[in-house]
């Protein structure tokens, strides 16, 4: 569904993503892991059109999207959540999600329709009904995460890119977030997710790609990844136990 071929992105002298290739198959959950600064967020930013790669290409559903803007990529059906989500603090949860509906994938809903869709998306991700019209600043972390997910869903994506969606959540909230992600996949969504809690990523991913210093150092099923010597050396530190 999505093919990333040899993408590279530098910031000044720093090569944040170095000739990374990966394939995302329809209906799968692909986990992206690696130490802090490995280039995970940058790679998602390249796919979603926030950055343009210095080299390499990205093909989505047979179409070259390498040089498209964030907005154009979103309209093609790739939607991303942000690692640091307080982008529109003055908006309410509903308004934040309406942005996704209004500027999303290929449709032009009216404001009224977008408002109703926002409500549906918030409900779908378990957002509390009585806070739908609360300012985003009044939300707790989990409510904020639900809003992010709802906003991404409101754009009717085929592919969801999730950047550390469970960060800041308690273990039980994390579990609930994971079951939400699974439910979305079971309903047909294709998901590429960055996650730093190994227990979570190992449990939820069909396949995992490991980045280190901007380079892909491993790729495989969770059971292969946890026994991969390179991954253990650079990231896991010691053998990981399920
Ligand atoms: N906009 C930017 N300008 C300069 N350096 C950046 C920028 N974004 C990321 N970097 C650098 O690129 C490297 C990879 O960052 P990032 O992709 O955020 O890593 P990760 O998400 O794996 O923690 C880091 O060294 C980071 O400091
Ligand atoms: Mg990151």
């Amino acid at each position: 569904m999505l093919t990333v071929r040899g993408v590279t992105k530098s910031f000044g002298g720093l090569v944040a993503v170095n000739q990374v290739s990966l394939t995302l198959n329809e209906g799968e959950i692909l986990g992206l892991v690696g130490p802090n600064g490995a280039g995970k967020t940058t790679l998602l930013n390249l796919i979603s059109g926030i950055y343009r790669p210095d080299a390499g290409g990205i093909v989505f559903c047979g179409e070259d999207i390498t040089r498209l803007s964030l907005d154009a990529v979103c309209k093609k059906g790739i939607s991303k959540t942000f690692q640091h989500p307080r982008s529109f603090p003055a908006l309410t949860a509903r308004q934040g999600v309406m942005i996704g509906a209004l500027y999303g994938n290929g449709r032009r809903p009216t404001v009224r329709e977008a408002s109703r869709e926002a409500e549906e998306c918030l409900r779908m991700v378990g957002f509390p009904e009585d806070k739908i019209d609360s300012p985003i600043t009044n939300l707790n972390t989990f409510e904020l995460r639900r809003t992010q997910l709802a906003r991404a869903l409101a754009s009717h994506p085929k592919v969801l890119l999730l950047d550390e969606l469970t960060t800041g959540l308690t273990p039980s909230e994390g579990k609930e977030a994971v079951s939400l992600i699974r439910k979305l996949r079971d309903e047909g969504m294709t998901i590429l997710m960055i996650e730093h809690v190994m227990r979570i990523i190992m449990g939820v991913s069909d396949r995992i790609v490991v980045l280190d210093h901007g380079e892909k150092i491993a790729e495989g099923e969770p059971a292969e990844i946890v026994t991969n010597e390179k991954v253990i050396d650079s990231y896991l530190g010691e053998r990981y136990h399920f």
Side-chain angles (χ1 to χ4, degrees):
M1 185 168 219
L2 181 75
T3 309
V4 174
R5 268 197 217 106
V7 293
T8 295
K9 176 71 185 172
S10 303
F11 298 106
L14 177 96
V15 186
V17 172
N18 196 357
Q19 297 184 42
V20 171
S21 299
L22 61 81
T23 308
L24 180 63
N25 302 309
E26 186 163 5
E28 82 174 338
I29 298 179
L30 180 63
L32 185 58
V33 302
N36 256 332
K40 306 180 297 294
T41 295
T42 304
L43 181 58
L44 255 53
N45 286 341
L46 287 167
I47 296 171
S48 61
I50 292 174
Y51 299 142
R52 310 237 158 117
D54 304 325
I58 303 165
V59 173
F60 176 56
C61 294
E63 193 176 345
D64 187 344
I65 61 161
T66 314
R67 314 216 74 78
L68 296 187
S69 65
L70 173 66
D71 185 51
V73 171
C74 182
K75 284 193 161 58
K76 298 280 176 202
I78 299 179
S79 192
K80 176 176 171 293
T81 65
F82 290 84
Q83 186 175 352
H84 305 290
R86 291 190 189 270
S87 40
F88 300 103
L91 299 185
T92 65
R94 180 200 303 272
Q95 289 166 336
V97 178
M98 280 172 70
I99 291 178
L102 288 166
Y103 297 101
N105 178 16
R107 303 152 320 118
R108 294 217 150 247
T110 63
V111 169
R112 185 188 294 261
E113 284 164 351
S115 171
R116 206 180 45 233
E117 278 182 29
E119 233 173 83
E120 279 164 22
C121 289
L122 282 163
R123 206 167 287 139
M124 203 189 304
V125 300
F127 188 88
E129 298 274 341
D130 60 337
K131 284 192 153 175
I132 285 180
D133 293 305
S134 294
I136 286 173
T137 40
N138 292 356
L139 304 179
N140 66 35
T141 306
F142 199 12
E143 288 159 357
L144 204 57
R145 297 297 183 200
R146 291 190 206 267
T147 309
Q148 283 182 276
L149 195 54
R151 175 152 113 204
L153 290 174
S155 70
H156 290 253
K158 297 178 190 144
V159 171
L160 266 181
L161 308 176
L162 306 177
D163 196 349
E164 299 202 13
L165 195 75
T166 71
T167 297
L169 301 184
T170 67
S172 73
E173 289 171 342
K175 262 193 194 154
E176 198 186 329
V178 166
S179 47
L180 258 174
I181 291 167
R182 276 215 188 86
K183 188 183 88 178
L184 293 172
R185 192 270 299 275
D186 293 344
E187 290 166 0
M189 192 66 72
T190 303
I191 296 166
L192 171 52
M193 62 185 283
I194 298 175
E195 172 57 63
H196 75 283
V197 180
M198 290 313 281
R199 180 176 36 76
I200 290 183
I201 203 74
M202 292 296 170
V204 78
S205 305
D206 298 304
R207 284 189 307 126
I208 291 175
V209 165
V210 187
L211 291 187
D212 188 25
H213 295 295
E215 293 181 23
K216 183 168 89 174
I217 60 163
E219 175 171 23
E221 290 177 12
E224 298 170 60
I225 293 298
V226 293
T227 56
N228 181 306
E229 293 298 332
K230 261 195 200 164
V231 179
I232 292 165
D233 284 349
S234 80
Y235 184 49
L236 294 178
E238 57 192 68
R239 243 166 240 278
Y240 180 88
H241 298 284
F242 283 87

